[in-house]
Every structure is written in C-alpha cells, then in structure tokens.
Amino acid sequence: MSSAVWSELRALAKQPLDLRAEFAKDPARAERFALEACGINLDYSKNLITDGIWQRLLTLAEQSPLAQKKAQMFAGDKINNTEQRSVWHTALRAPLTVDLQLDGADISSEIADCHAQMHQLVTQLNNAQYLGYSGEPITDLVWIGIGGSLLGPQMAVEALTPYNVSPVQIHFAGNIDGAVVTDVVKGLDPATTLVFVASKSFGTEETKQNALAIRQWFLDNGADKNAIARHFWATSSNIKAAAEFGIVPEHILPMWDWVGGRYSLWSAIGFPLCLMLGVTQFQQLLAGAYAMDQHFVEAPLAENMPVILALLGVWYINAHGCQSHALLPYSHYLRLLPSYVQQLDMESNGKGVDSNGNSLSLATAPVIWGDAGTNGQHAYHQLLHQSALAVPADFILPIQPAHDLTDHHKRLAAHCFAQTQALMQGKTIAEAHAEVLAAGGSAEDAARLAPHKASPGNKPSNTLLLPELSPYYLGALIALYEHKVFVQGVLWDINSFDQWGVELGKQLSTPIYQVLSGQQQHQFDASTQRLIKLFQR
Ligand code: F6P
C-alpha cells in the first residue's frame, strides 16, 4: 500500500468536520451510511466521514490486495506464512455438501465426521444416556481450556442462555489460578461429571495443570483409572499428547492446524454450545456465520459490512491516532463479547512487523475494551463523552429481547440510542448555559457551570442492530468481527494468524517457576530477583 494514501488520509483527518452540522445539512446521511447484511443492520452515519472521505477510504480497500487475500483464505491457501498454515475456519461452517480438499485430505468428510461425533455425544448427554462410572447419568460438564479454546464457547454459552435445552450444567476452567479449579469442582460429583480438555496444542500449561488437578480430584473422590477413561474427553490436534495424558482415542475430537485457536468456535471447541443448544440450533449458529461469509465474499466493497467496519477502524487508528475501540453490547447476555473480541482482534493484529518481517510504520490493532450497557454509562462513559481521548465505539443491540420485560427493553434501547446521539451531537457551552438558567440558576451559576456541563460531541460510533440474539445472528455477528479483523490485517499487510508475541512470557516463566518451586537456581534482573525473594519470604 502506498504511504501516499495514508498521508492523504492523515491530512483529511485534520480538516474540520462537525457531525452535528453534517446531519443538519444532510439528514439523508443516515440512510446513505447504513447497511443491512444477514439481518444485521449497521448504522455508521455517526462517524467522522463525508462522502469524499468515504470514497478515499474505499480506494484504500480497492488498492489493497484484499480481493486476492480473501480468495486465498477461502480456498484454504497457506496465508499464515510464518507457520505455513492454511486459515480455513470458514470451511467449518460451509454446508457439508461443499467439497473441500487440503493437501490431499478430504476436509469435508473430516468435518462431517467430527460433527457426527459431537452430535452423538450431545444426544447421549442430553438424553441422560451417557452414564458415569457409578451408572448415573452425567449432570455436569467441566470444560478446561484457555484463550481460543475457552473464550468462544464461554461467551457464546452465556450469550445464548435463553436457548439452553440441556440438562447438563456447563462449567469453564481456564486460568491457572488454583481458585478456578477449586471453585469449579465445588458441589460437583465426579461420578456425574464429564471433563473436556480443550487444547489445540495439548501443550498449554494452564490447561494441562488444570486437567491434572481435576483428574486428581477424581482419584481423591473415589474414581479409578477406568472411571477417568470414561469421564475424560479432549479436543486437540495433538492426538499423541492427549493420549499420553490418558484420554482414550475414541474420546479425542479432532482439531486441525488450519483452524487458529481464536477462530475455532466452529470446530469441536464449540462442543459446550452444541450441547447446550442441541444440534439444530448449533447448526443455526454455523448457518449465520456462513451467511456472513457469503456476504463478505460477494458484496461489493462499498456494501460489505466487514470491509466498512475495517475501514472505519483504520481511519480512526491511522488517521486520527485513536488507540482504543470500545465494544458496548446493550445486552446482558453479550457481556463477554468484548473479552472474546479482545483476543480475536488484539492477538491477531497486535503486531509490530509486516508479513515479511519489516518494522511497521503504522499502528495496528486498537485496545479493545467494553462491557454490557447500561453498566458502563455509570462507570466509564464519562470519559467517552468529555475527555480529550477519542474512543470510537460499537453499540450492539438486539431488537427483540429474550425476556418478557418489554418496558425494560425499551429503556435499554433508549439508553443505547441516546448514548450514540450524545456522543455525536454533544452539548455546546451555550446550550449548557441556557440549561442552567432554565433550571432556575443565576447568570453567575450558568457561567461557572456551563464549561463543566458542555460535551464536545463529534465522537464517532457505529450502531449494530440484531433482530434478536439467536444462534443465527450470533454466528453472523462473530463472523462479522472475524472478517473485519482479517480486512484490517490485509490493509496493514500483517499476518493476522500467528501470535509469536505471547511466547516470550511463557518461556521466561519456566526458569522462574523452577526457582519458586526449589527445582533449580537461576539469575534474573534485580527487580525480578527481588520479587521472587518477596514471594518466597
Ligand atoms: O498463548 C496463546 C494461545 O496460543 C492462543 O492463541 C490459543 O488460543 C491459546 O493459547 C490456547 O492454546 P491451545 O488451544 O493450544 O491450548
């Protein structure tokens, strides 16, 4: 990508643009900068764009190798160049009639077999036919995994709570903080608990240690080795390591090296969700994601939702210098979405070099943060409204609630829309002044308070409306963010599918652990040395 385009965008960002004035002179921008795809409605009219800026941003996408990269991804090419891997999570949600081949392997059949295994176990568990070692049906599933092997199923299980049809309670254990496993097994009975060890590599320390701790809990509570074989399942691409751990081969569901961890919800990593929803609704999740894939593949750039979100993102990051992006679901059930998208976006695009290893001169992924509205309004929205920091935000609202409190839902929606309106239009000093006077304040009060009460406005946001938070629309929403991240990776020319940065901390923790556990002595920098001493004392 020529640096001239980026310089031009930076220059454009310096030109004054008043959103309130733009709406006043052209109310039609609300229709023009809006789009519906797979039932999801995106209003991006409250962004710092004009027709001219938008055309320039679209040119950025046109001049990029997006079309080629997209074709490569959907064809299963090895676009993860540092690991020589395909990036083919989209294959997992394609209809099983589509014939997919990779390096001579029949991918479609492998996926179909994996689904069949998942469906069989789901049916057995949901019909109380899978009996534990004492002959009682399974009542609880403990899912052990971390990062991409946890965040997706955990977020989606939470999001689709109203669709739960399973008698089996699902529990998640990720962190190596011993409090997690301690809490998870509280109240559980090993005789009625099934354990799933979810690790693509089957080498992740947290997952292995938590799995070992739970296995010990089984042994300490009356289970023997045969019982463990019956109660432990895994999903991994490292069959050997899973087998060495003691998982019997017929209990190992496949993972493939062509599916990145943070893109793996659609594989057997989605098992908890399949269990909770039942097979038909799980397929709806896949169908929603597939519909978004089709939209991403087919829609022209100007009408392509992932492309639009990606371009708006680079506009703020690279031209306006924004460093963070708020994800604000106005949905209690979507409250884990920001944590999920954090990994998706920040682990994919938080890179310092381009795909050839050259230092990047451009900033890449923003800090993703957020929580369910309206909670944030009473916590951090103050900063969004009045601080000098510019934080673009995505507001996400399901139109149909999953409960009967319709008045609550109208109030929730009112707050969602009011926040985007307030961020966009702000409140001028004159308006704040008049407000104080209208409330009976003196002219002196008005002059003193107006600067505090005024809000600058001109703060950008997107609003995404989902017809309802169903498996289908959740699938489409997740795929939307996946493709947004992909497009940005292409625009920045980075490999969005490796994550070498997380390795150093893992490497350094080993010798520190050896010292802490008295196995070996090592020398560290003075600060680390001192912290170790304090911990040991
Ligand atoms: O350490 C980062 C990471 O590799 C993530 O990319 C991945 O989702 C997570 O760890 C878990 O990895 P695994 O599934 O191999 O245990």
Side-chain angles (χ1 to χ4, degrees):
M1 180 86 47
S2 90
S3 55
V5 187
W6 294 108
S7 313
E8 203 186 325
L9 285 169
R10 269 183 222 115
L12 277 172
K14 289 204 181 93
Q15 291 176 9
L17 190 160
D18 178 10
L19 271 180
R20 200 202 268 220
E22 293 294 324
F23 271 103
K25 74 172 185 232
D26 175 22
R29 69 179 274 129
E31 290 297 332
R32 213 165 51 254
F33 296 127
L35 173 78
E36 190 168 297
C38 314
I40 298 179
N41 200 293
L42 166 68
D43 177 336
Y44 61 105
S45 64
K46 293 191 184 92
N47 278 289
L48 297 169
I49 51 171
T50 56
D51 289 327
I53 292 170
W54 191 236
Q55 283 313 316
R56 207 66 206 103
L57 284 165
L58 286 170
T59 309
L60 188 71
E62 272 157 24
Q63 290 181 357
S64 77
L66 178 59
Q68 178 207 337
K69 291 274 181 190
K70 192 162 62 166
Q72 286 181 299
M73 178 169 76
F74 279 89
D77 286 4
K78 296 191 168 52
I79 58 171
N80 175 352
N81 65 330
T82 60
E83 296 176 304
Q84 273 310 303
R85 286 179 182 166
S86 304
V87 174
W88 223 6
H89 46 279
T90 52
L92 294 164
R93 52 226 193 187
L96 290 173
T97 46
V98 177
D99 178 33
L100 303 168
Q101 304 282 329
L102 184 67
D103 297 334
D106 179 356
I107 297 299
S108 318
S109 306
E110 290 184 20
I111 296 170
D113 290 349
C114 174
H115 282 179
Q117 275 179 284
M118 284 168 70
H119 298 170
Q120 189 187 12
L121 183 58
V122 162
T123 308
Q124 287 176 340
L125 287 168
N126 283 347
N127 292 314
Q129 289 161 345
Y130 193 106
L131 305 182
Y133 62 85
S134 67
E136 290 169 82
I138 295 298
T139 56
D140 294 89
L141 172 83
V142 175
W143 184 265
I144 307 173
I146 199 160
S149 296
L150 176 100
L151 293 169
Q154 193 174 30
M155 176 276 290
V157 160
E158 198 70 51
L160 298 173
T161 302
Y163 287 81
N164 189 356
V165 293
S166 178
V168 179
Q169 291 283 321
I170 302 169
H171 313 263
F172 292 96
N175 199 338
I176 199 159
D177 184 334
V180 174
V181 164
T182 307
D183 276 2
V184 159
V185 297
K186 254 183 214 154
L188 298 189
D189 177 355
T192 55
T193 300
L194 197 80
V195 179
F196 238 102
V197 187
S199 177
K200 181 177 169 187
S201 60
F202 220 91
T204 304
E205 183 189 358
E206 291 91 331
T207 303
K208 271 173 86 174
Q209 292 306 319
N210 282 339
L212 286 169
I214 296 212
R215 184 164 72 178
Q216 194 56 46
W217 170 75
F218 267 76
L219 295 173
D220 293 345
N221 287 278
D224 60 15
K225 278 198 168 159
N226 290 335
I228 286 179
R230 177 152 194 76
H231 284 250
F232 273 67
W233 283 67
T235 172
S236 183
S237 59
N238 190 347
I239 312 287
K240 190 167 165 275
E244 276 165 13
F245 179 87
I247 316 262
V248 295
E250 51 287 14
H251 284 191
I252 304 174
L253 300 182
M255 278 277 281
W256 300 274
D257 76 352
W258 44 266
V259 183
R262 53 192 173 275
Y263 299 88
S264 63
L265 175 65
W266 326 99
S267 69
I269 292 292
F271 180 80
L273 199 55
C274 188
L275 175 67
M276 180 191 107
L277 298 174
V279 171
T280 309
Q281 288 296 338
F282 182 69
Q283 282 166 344
Q284 280 298 303
L285 178 96
L286 302 183
Y290 178 68
M292 187 54 78
D293 292 342
Q294 294 299 99
H295 165 77
F296 179 48
V297 168
E298 289 164 9
L301 293 175
E303 292 156 37
N304 197 307
M305 204 177 275
V307 173
I308 292 171
L309 290 185
L311 289 174
L312 290 165
V314 300
W315 171 235
Y316 294 120
I317 296 164
N318 302 119
H320 284 270
C322 299
Q323 294 183 341
S324 87
H325 186 103
L327 211 58
L328 307 171
Y330 273 60
S331 163
H332 172 72
Y333 291 128
L334 275 179
R335 65 190 180 279
L336 296 183
L337 186 72
S339 310
Y340 173 77
V341 177
Q342 264 172 359
Q343 188 201 12
L344 177 63
D345 200 326
M346 295 164 78
E347 200 175 64
S348 296
N349 285 347
K351 305 285 166 65
V353 293
D354 69 17
S355 52
N356 293 312
N358 304 310
S359 288
L360 283 168
S361 53
L362 294 166
T364 61
V367 175
I368 301 283
W369 62 278
D371 191 6
T374 61
N375 293 346
Q377 291 176 207
H378 302 277
Y380 46 75
H381 280 222
Q382 163 64 38
L383 179 148
L384 297 183
H385 289 292
Q386 283 189 316
S387 120
L389 280 181
V391 183
D394 289 358
F395 288 78
I396 303 170
L397 175 77
I399 294 176
Q400 189 67 34
H403 54 75
D404 296 332
L405 297 176
T406 49
D407 186 60
H408 268 66
H409 197 60
K410 285 176 193 152
R411 290 175 190 275
L412 178 75
H415 280 294
C416 175
F417 301 154
Q419 287 298 309
T420 69
Q421 192 187 15
L423 288 167
M424 181 275 285
Q425 73 181 29
K427 187 188 284 180
T428 63
I429 297 254
E431 285 166 345
H433 198 272
E435 199 178 84
V436 177
L437 293 180
S442 65
E444 192 195 326
D445 288 341
R448 183 171 52 83
L449 290 175
H452 297 278
K453 287 177 158 264
S455 266
N458 238 18
K459 309 263 188 180
S461 68
N462 293 310
T463 306
L464 289 142
L465 299 179
L466 273 55
E468 59 186 339
L469 187 53
S470 64
Y472 182 89
Y473 295 118
L474 181 67
L477 183 71
I478 299 169
L480 169 64
Y481 279 104
E482 283 181 353
H483 294 320
K484 171 198 168 179
V485 166
F486 172 78
V487 175
Q488 292 188 328
V490 173
L491 295 174
W492 290 318
D493 183 20
I494 54 181
N495 179 359
S496 303
F497 302 102
D498 58 13
Q499 58 284 321
W500 298 106
V502 299
E503 294 306 319
L504 179 60
K506 290 185 195 175
Q507 286 162 4
L508 295 183
S509 75
T510 304
I512 296 177
Y513 170 73
Q514 287 170 341
V515 172
L516 292 180
S517 56
Q519 293 171 16
Q520 231 173 301
Q521 285 310 310
H522 295 281
Q523 288 299 312
F524 305 103
D525 64 88
S527 163
T528 307
Q529 198 86 21
R530 181 174 168 274
L531 292 170
I532 290 171
K533 277 215 176 97
L534 285 172
F535 182 83
Q536 284 175 323
R537 206 188 294 159

